[in-house]
Amino acid sequence: MFHRIGDFVVRRAWWVIGAWLVAAVAIISTAPTITAQTDESAFLPKHYESIQAAELQAKAFPANFSPGAFALFERTDGGKLTEADKATAEKVAKGLADKHIESVETVLPVGKTYAPDGTFGMSMIAIDKKVMQKPEAADAAKALREAGTELTAGTPVKMLLGGPAASILDQQDSSKLAEALIGIGTVVIILLTLWLIFRSPIVALLPIVSIFVYSMVANGLIADASKVFGLKADNSMSAILIVVLFGVGTDYFLFLMFRYRERLRAGDDRKEAVVNAVGRVGEAIASAAGAVVAAFAVLVFSSLGMFTALGPSLAIAVAVTAFASVTLVPAVLSVLPERVLFRRVVEWLRWDGRHLAWLARGARGPRPAGNFQKHWMRQAKGTRFAALGGGVQRRPAVAALASGLVLIALAAAALGYKGTFDLASGSMPKTKESMVVQDRMMKGFSAGAADPSHVYLTATGGAKLDTAGLDAYRTALAGTPGVAAVPAERTQLSKDGLTADITVILKDAPATNKAIDTMGGLRDTAHGSAPSGTEALVGGQTSIFKDINTAMVHDYTLVFPLAALLILVILALQLRSVVAPWYLMASVGLGFGATLGATSLIFQRIGGEPGLMFMLPIFIYLFVVAIGTDYNILMIARLREEVKEGRSPREAAGQAIKHAGPTVAAAGFILAATFGTMLLAGNSLFSQMGFSIAFGIIISAFVMAMFFTPAITALLGRAAWWPGHQDAADHDGPAVPQAEPQPAGRI
């Protein structure tokens, strides 16, 4: 089938290129704008307690004061506030209220809200709740900061803005910077690496230009899908899409390019080489993309809105990338003369066998005649990948054992994994203003005072709530381990008298694991100690994180097995085997464990982080298991091809590493380096994602695909392909002569 696709694309190359350009313009011009979701609660289904509590709060206490921001006042020299400084703070708070900033509803005076050590005071600011659910909350935060700077000018007092709205603003700024750094870093890495491999600026630029075209198509389709299905995006999606489109797109480009170059060396003309390249690696690209798309698509079954949006978006991006890799890229290759792509290669192929010696003598005497092509191809037999392939061919048991032990040792470290839910601080540097305010508030007051939890006690019989029993109920809540205080003065009663809002201040910061553990006990106490005829719901940020944790456990038990099953089926269909897919999946499972273990060691044990971001295991699973499987698929597909040519399983393993090794190494390096650009973002979330996925890709390419998979296949022999056929007649396309590749980095 892929030979036919390649033949059609080559014969209609300009039509294919034109169709892609027209589609890109049409789709991007009609696509809606993707709006990032900033409210964590929006990512949870409505049956979770935290969401039910939020809905009850909105219904029973519509006018309840809920701070959208905190204005923190402190001296510029860091000293204690004087009475004059406090007067300045009150004046600034009143000035903020008098400016009537859009969406800002109330600015409370500082009053007695000063830190115990007297170093700062705090004013709570209410922002329209509807706006707080949208990115526009950042506009209000920006206006408040600008006004605060203006009002404190010329005084020894400075104002810092923190709280949810300020966090949204800082996250947006960090995301823009991260996208720019990741985008620039990714492009530079791809350009430099491809130039070093092919020594051709045209080849280096080709994937960048191609990806730019079909990324517009992918982003447009993602925007359409988000609008139609109501998918909720977050601020990290754009940066992840950049890496996936460029990383996977370059991977598939290399799959095709190395085989195209191999066919040129075998003597094919340009168009014939493109057709044979598509015919030989098209199935591997389709299978690899199918595995990735399946793994991403199953995220629609996730309980978390952030994944139900991210999964289909990435699936669309990879599907478009794969389709472009077997249509647009081959079409471009077929219209570019090989002398433009590989000027040096073509010239060397046309030179004679004694030309090098003639040049070494300083070009003295008559120019010799001969055939340089045979000499050039003979030199390729001493490549490093040929040596690696020979080693695995001779000692497959040693290669399998050594690579397997490396994976198992690293996977054992995954037992030390701990998750953390502080997404706000994880998605921006700690030097951002909102993070500085959060840190100051946690040190000045109880760590949980900045964002307390709330217990909503509602009468169920239709009669008004009996407030006489509230004191005993508050005492029970206060006795929960991990609760700092349940202040009676902060208890509010709804206008209809049916619901009480009881404020509960935890000892620990809302997003910490200790606070989340406390939430479990608080819920038990709130439900178990509720007076007769009432029911309780626990809300607040910590309650949301508790439910997110529960949702993640659900996803681990559903999404992981379902994605693994789909990948297993795709591998079985591609390899025509029921044996090989099982040990391939076992190897990627070890790769997942090794990646999580190495990340835990680096960030928790060595870096001293309290834990890894809660969504990291799913990202590792999807990118390492799904995308990392690409290299296993490419290697095993080449190994199967060599077996069909009549070689023994061990010989096939050696030849597969020799021929596919340069492709896997180059693609793995580029993809790992592109994900590694996330380390430039300067925040915990992207740093952990960048390191873990880059490390996982390296493990997938240089341990699993290069050693473990071919070694196990060589040991199993023809049983690995059962019940498929391995005879030479079982070809997917016309037989083509084999050619020896030159070392990576040489043309």
Side-chain angles (χ1 to χ4, degrees):
M1 181 180 74
F2 287 98
H3 274 87
R4 291 193 293 272
I5 291 174
D7 183 63
F8 172 82
V9 168
V10 168
R11 286 188 291 105
R12 300 286 188 272
W14 287 111
W15 284 98
V16 171
I17 295 171
W20 268 100
L21 293 175
V22 170
V25 173
I27 291 174
I28 199 65
S29 62
T30 58
T33 302
I34 299 178
T35 301
Q37 180 59 248
T38 59
D39 180 20
E40 285 90 347
S41 65
F43 295 120
L44 282 169
K46 294 186 177 181
H47 66 270
Y48 283 98
E49 182 171 347
S50 60
I51 306 305
Q52 294 176 357
E55 292 176 345
L56 175 61
Q57 186 269 336
K59 179 181 178 181
F61 303 95
N64 196 16
F65 184 89
S66 179
F70 301 98
L72 186 144
F73 300 96
E74 63 181 5
R75 287 184 60 86
T76 55
D77 60 8
K80 290 185 177 182
L81 293 170
T82 65
E83 291 301 320
D85 297 332
K86 293 179 180 180
T88 299
E90 293 291 3
K91 181 180 179 181
V92 173
K94 185 178 184 304
L96 291 176
D98 292 341
K99 283 186 175 292
H100 302 292
I101 296 171
E102 186 176 357
S103 302
V104 175
E105 297 177 337
T106 308
V107 181
L108 295 182
V110 179
K112 296 182 179 180
T113 314
Y114 288 96
D117 61 4
T119 57
F120 68 86
M122 196 171 62
S123 169
M124 291 185 286
I125 302 172
I127 297 176
D128 186 350
K129 293 177 182 178
K130 294 181 180 179
V131 173
M132 285 302 299
Q133 311 300 321
K134 303 175 182 178
E136 285 78 3
D139 297 334
K142 184 177 181 180
L144 284 167
R145 280 184 178 168
E146 291 173 349
T149 301
E150 175 189 337
L151 292 169
T152 56
T155 72
V157 176
K158 64 178 179 180
M159 189 196 92
L160 302 177
L161 192 75
S167 293
I168 292 171
L169 175 60
D170 290 340
Q171 285 179 19
Q172 286 183 0
D173 291 342
S174 294
S175 296
K176 291 176 182 177
L177 177 61
E179 287 178 28
L181 291 173
I182 290 170
I184 294 171
T186 297
V187 170
V188 170
I189 287 170
I190 292 173
L191 287 173
L192 287 178
T193 307
L194 291 182
W195 183 82
L196 288 172
I197 292 172
F198 296 102
R199 294 292 197 275
S200 168
I202 300 299
V203 174
L205 285 170
L206 186 55
I208 301 296
V209 175
S210 302
I211 292 169
F212 175 76
V213 172
Y214 59 73
S215 67
M216 291 193 297
V217 175
N219 280 300
L221 293 176
I222 290 168
D224 288 330
S226 297
K227 181 180 179 180
V228 172
F229 298 104
L231 303 178
K232 298 178 177 65
D234 72 344
N235 288 321
S236 65
M237 180 183 288
S238 296
I240 295 172
L241 278 173
I242 290 172
V243 174
V244 169
L245 282 166
F246 278 93
V248 175
T250 305
D251 262 13
Y252 297 162
F253 173 81
L254 286 170
F255 288 5
L256 185 69
M257 201 67 190
F258 271 97
R259 186 55 75 98
Y260 172 58
R261 188 176 69 171
E262 182 179 332
R263 297 315 319 149
L264 286 177
R265 288 171 170 169
D268 292 355
D269 62 33
R270 179 180 74 248
K271 294 187 177 182
E272 184 183 7
V274 173
V275 173
N276 283 328
V278 174
R280 288 288 177 159
V281 300
E283 184 179 9
I285 291 174
S287 299
V292 179
V293 169
F296 287 158
V298 297
L299 284 180
V300 297
F301 299 108
S302 171
S303 298
L304 296 173
M306 63 188 304
F307 290 127
T308 58
L310 182 63
S313 298
L314 294 178
I316 291 171
V318 173
V320 171
T321 300
F323 184 64
S325 298
V326 295
T327 55
L328 176 61
V329 176
V332 174
L333 289 177
S334 68
V335 299
L336 288 176
E338 61 268 35
R339 64 179 177 273
V340 174
L341 290 174
F342 306 121
R343 183 175 181 84
R344 290 172 60 189
V345 172
V346 176
E347 289 175 351
W348 289 351
L349 287 174
R350 290 173 179 171
W351 284 354
D352 50 62
R354 289 171 296 215
H355 201 157
L356 290 179
W358 177 68
L359 290 174
R361 295 194 301 269
R364 295 172 184 168
R367 179 172 178 167
N371 187 351
F372 177 69
Q373 182 175 358
K374 292 181 180 179
H375 174 74
W376 173 70
M377 294 179 67
R378 185 169 60 250
Q379 293 288 24
K381 295 182 179 179
T383 67
R384 291 188 180 92
F385 293 100
L388 289 176
V392 173
Q393 178 179 336
R394 291 188 300 272
R395 297 181 180 84
V398 173
L401 182 62
S403 55
L405 287 176
V406 169
L407 296 174
I408 292 171
L410 289 173
L415 298 175
Y417 163 77
K418 293 181 181 179
T420 181
F421 292 81
D422 194 356
L423 189 59
S425 62
S427 58
M428 68 181 104
K430 298 186 184 299
T431 55
K432 283 292 186 180
E433 189 170 324
S434 60
M435 297 307 303
V436 172
V437 172
Q438 177 179 297
D439 183 65
R440 298 281 283 120
M441 291 173 64
M442 288 174 60
K443 290 178 179 178
F445 301 102
S446 165
D451 197 350
S453 297
H454 295 266
V455 175
Y456 300 99
L457 189 68
T458 303
T460 57
K464 290 187 176 182
L465 187 69
D466 182 9
T467 59
L470 289 182
D471 286 340
Y473 188 57
R474 282 192 293 263
T475 301
L477 295 175
T480 304
V483 172
V486 185
E489 66 275 10
R490 296 182 65 174
T491 298
Q492 300 180 53
L493 197 65
S494 62
K495 287 185 178 180
D496 58 12
L498 297 176
T499 304
D501 176 2
I502 303 171
T503 299
V504 179
I505 300 175
L506 305 182
K507 293 180 180 179
D508 302 291
T512 60
N513 289 327
K514 288 184 178 180
I516 293 171
D517 292 339
T518 297
M519 181 53 59
L522 179 61
R523 283 183 175 179
D524 291 340
T525 303
H527 300 156
S529 301
S532 178
T534 66
E535 64 179 14
L537 292 173
V538 184
Q541 200 66 29
T542 305
S543 183
I544 291 173
F545 289 138
K546 177 68 175 177
D547 287 338
I548 287 177
N549 189 33
T550 302
M552 290 295 295
V553 173
H554 165 271
D555 289 354
Y556 291 152
T557 57
L558 174 65
V559 174
F560 281 18
L562 185 57
L565 178 62
L566 291 175
I567 294 174
L568 191 71
V569 171
I570 290 171
L571 288 173
L573 293 174
Q574 195 247 342
L575 300 175
R576 284 78 162 175
S577 167
V578 297
V579 176
W582 287 101
Y583 65 82
L584 288 178
M585 288 305 299
S587 71
V588 295
L590 283 174
F592 166 77
T595 302
L596 186 59
T599 308
S600 299
L601 283 174
I602 294 297
F603 287 92
Q604 292 180 200
R605 299 285 181 85
I606 298 175
E609 295 282 349
L612 304 179
M613 297 307 298
F614 69 91
M615 74 284 284
L616 194 64
I618 281 190
F619 280 125
I620 292 175
Y621 183 82
L622 292 173
F623 287 107
V624 174
V625 173
I627 296 180
T629 303
D630 287 5
Y631 308 123
N632 264 338
I633 288 176
L634 182 68
M635 185 63 72
I636 203 76
R638 186 61 186 247
L639 204 153
R640 177 172 172 265
E641 183 180 325
E642 297 295 337
V643 168
K644 285 200 263 183
E645 295 292 339
R647 293 181 172 87
S648 69
R650 292 198 178 195
E651 290 175 333
Q655 289 297 311
I657 295 172
K658 181 179 180 180
H659 288 284
T663 309
V664 170
F669 171 78
I670 290 178
L671 188 59
T674 54
F675 276 106
T677 58
M678 287 185 168
L679 293 167
L680 301 173
N683 62 64
S684 297
L685 174 61
F686 281 152
S687 294
Q688 291 175 12
M689 283 182 60
F691 172 83
S692 61
I693 298 173
F695 184 85
I697 295 298
I698 290 172
I699 288 289
S700 298
F702 294 95
V703 178
M704 291 191 297
M706 205 76 73
F707 294 100
F708 191 77
T709 296
I712 293 294
T713 307
L715 288 173
L716 289 175
R718 295 186 179 274
W721 309 107
W722 186 86
H725 301 287
Q726 301 89 39
D727 55 277
D730 183 28
H731 282 293
D732 295 320
V736 292
Q738 298 294 312
E740 305 285 356
Q742 261 200 320
R746 294 288 188 87
I747 300 299

